[in-house]
Amino acid sequence: MKEKDNSTENTAPKKDEKIEINKSVFKVNKELRKQREEEQAKKEQEIAEKYAQREKEKKEAYEKKLHDERIELMRLKQGVLDESEATIHEEKEEEVKLSFGKKIANFFYHNKWWVGLGVFFIALGGYLVYDLLSKPNPDMVILMICDNNPVGTSTFLEEYFEEYAEDSNGNGKVLVNVYYIPYGDDDYQNYVNGVQTKITTFLNNADGVMVIGNKKTVDDLLPAEESFVDLSSIYPDDPHVDGYFYYIKDTKFAEHIGVTPDSITEDMFFALRKPKDVLNDSKEKMQETYDKDFPTFDRVVKALSSEE
């Protein structure tokens, strides 16, 4: 038993021998890596030297050509050499013939920015034309020029007026568009909401004659006597009418459009724009709109006044 143990001890590698073997492997790997790096560096150096030699030869050939051409020119000027014998000729760039497909591709490549802009404007124009043609033509346009979000964004606002409107364009359905322009005291909000642009656009055409407004509308934008029809001469006995305005505070208008009564301020009114020449339309065109829309306005006023 003792002999077996001694045998095992003699054949087993010692700890120091293992360390030495590991060191030898590490050393061999290191030397191989170093050898590969040296070979790679040598190859790269050879490539660089060949490239430098080629460049040098090209440069020398080019300089020789220039030198020969200068001598030839001098000989030509001195009359020593005939033009027919000269080797210097104007080099003409060979015209590259392209196929039809390649010509088109080449055109688009060199003009891509202009083509892109053209496509953009064509697409924009097409969209505007489509939007104009596909947009339903309303039977009546009402301008709401005052800052009152509950009323202006009411889901039932247009539906209420459609109950009293007529199919004036003969397309088989009644459609009223109320354009809400939230004109208020906050100049920044007016700017953000594009109020000035909308006011300029709608007040300079004859599409909208009926106006929903308030005191600020009259004070800042539409002076009463100059802008509106005198309703007191049309409805002399209506308690809601005062001069040019039909005041809607004490009517059931809020109930009909689904807003709370306090959403209607004391100074809110209905009015009719006086037909006259505007920037984009004539007095005659506005008179046509007035004659078309007045019956609806009249029915709305009489219905609200009779509900008390």
Side-chain angles (χ1 to χ4, degrees):
M1 194 69 179
K2 222 172 196 182
E3 289 178 4
K4 186 176 181 182
D5 292 342
N6 290 336
S7 167
T8 306
E9 286 176 6
N10 291 333
T11 56
K14 295 180 181 179
K15 186 177 180 182
D16 292 341
E17 289 176 355
K18 286 184 179 180
I19 293 171
E20 187 61 35
I21 290 170
N22 289 337
K23 283 184 178 178
S24 299
V25 171
F26 176 75
K27 187 176 179 181
V28 169
N29 287 337
K30 185 177 179 182
E31 289 173 354
L32 288 172
R33 187 168 62 252
K34 185 177 179 182
Q35 184 181 349
R36 283 196 299 269
E37 289 173 354
E38 288 174 353
E39 290 174 355
Q40 181 67 26
K42 188 177 179 181
K43 285 182 182 178
E44 289 176 357
Q45 186 178 356
E46 289 175 357
I47 292 169
E49 287 173 356
K50 287 180 181 178
Y51 177 78
Q53 181 63 28
R54 282 199 303 269
E55 290 298 309
K56 183 181 177 183
E57 290 173 358
K58 282 168 64 178
K59 185 179 179 182
E60 288 174 352
Y62 179 69
E63 288 175 351
K64 184 177 183 305
K65 181 183 176 186
L66 288 178
H67 177 70
D68 292 344
E69 287 178 352
R70 278 197 295 269
I71 292 173
E72 196 169 289
L73 281 171
M74 289 175 63
R75 294 177 67 190
L76 278 169
K77 287 179 181 178
Q78 293 170 359
V80 178
L81 189 68
D82 231 351
E83 274 191 38
S84 60
E85 298 174 333
T87 59
I88 302 173
H89 301 288
E90 183 181 356
E91 293 184 2
K92 293 184 179 179
E93 188 176 345
E94 188 179 349
E95 184 179 353
V96 179
K97 293 183 179 181
L98 300 174
S99 65
F100 180 71
K102 286 185 178 179
K103 284 181 180 178
I104 293 175
N106 189 53
F107 171 80
F108 279 104
Y109 175 77
H110 290 290
N111 299 278
K112 52 183 173 287
W113 289 110
W114 293 111
V115 171
L117 284 172
V119 170
F120 170 76
F121 284 113
I122 290 171
L124 180 62
Y127 171 77
L128 292 175
V129 170
Y130 171 78
D131 185 59
L132 182 64
L133 294 176
S134 61
K135 200 175 204 176
N137 184 24
D139 298 289
M140 182 178 183
V141 170
I142 299 172
L143 306 178
M144 181 176 172
I145 312 175
C146 61
D147 188 12
N148 190 316
N149 200 58
V151 175
T153 59
S154 168
T155 308
F156 306 104
L157 182 62
E158 293 178 338
E159 292 181 10
Y160 172 72
F161 290 108
E162 286 171 357
E163 292 177 15
Y164 300 95
E166 298 174 343
D167 179 19
S168 58
N169 58 22
N171 66 353
K173 52 178 140 178
V174 175
L175 179 65
V176 174
N177 282 353
V178 179
Y179 291 110
Y180 174 42
I181 307 171
Y183 179 65
D185 295 319
D186 190 331
D187 291 337
Y188 176 73
Q189 284 302 318
N190 288 340
Y191 172 77
V192 169
N193 293 323
V195 167
Q196 194 58 51
T197 302
K198 293 174 183 176
I199 288 172
T200 303
T201 301
F202 288 114
L203 292 185
N204 280 297
N205 67 57
D207 293 336
V209 167
M210 181 176 172
V211 173
I212 303 172
N214 61 13
K215 186 175 183 298
K216 186 172 178 62
T217 311
V218 179
D219 292 344
D220 295 355
L221 303 172
L222 296 168
E225 187 174 351
E226 179 185 329
S227 306
F228 296 121
V229 173
D230 184 3
L231 297 181
S232 62
S233 61
I234 304 174
Y235 308 103
D237 301 321
D238 195 315
H240 299 285
V241 173
D242 184 4
Y244 302 91
F245 312 113
Y246 180 89
Y247 288 99
I248 56 178
K249 173 61 178 174
D250 297 321
T251 68
K252 292 186 178 181
F253 180 66
E255 180 183 331
H256 289 303
I257 65 170
V259 300
T260 58
D262 58 2
S263 298
I264 308 297
T265 57
E266 294 283 350
D267 60 347
M268 283 189 71
F269 60 76
F270 294 160
L272 289 171
R273 291 171 67 196
K274 190 182 294 184
K276 62 178 181 179
D277 291 324
V278 289
L279 188 63
N280 299 324
D281 281 315
S282 64
K283 180 180 178 180
E284 291 73 24
K285 179 71 183 296
M286 188 177 281
Q287 185 65 55
E288 289 178 12
T289 305
Y290 179 92
D291 294 339
K292 172 179 68 70
D293 292 352
F294 177 77
T296 301
F297 179 87
D298 185 59
R299 284 190 285 270
V300 169
V301 166
K302 287 179 178 177
L304 287 174
S305 296
S306 67
E307 288 175 341
E308 296 181 356

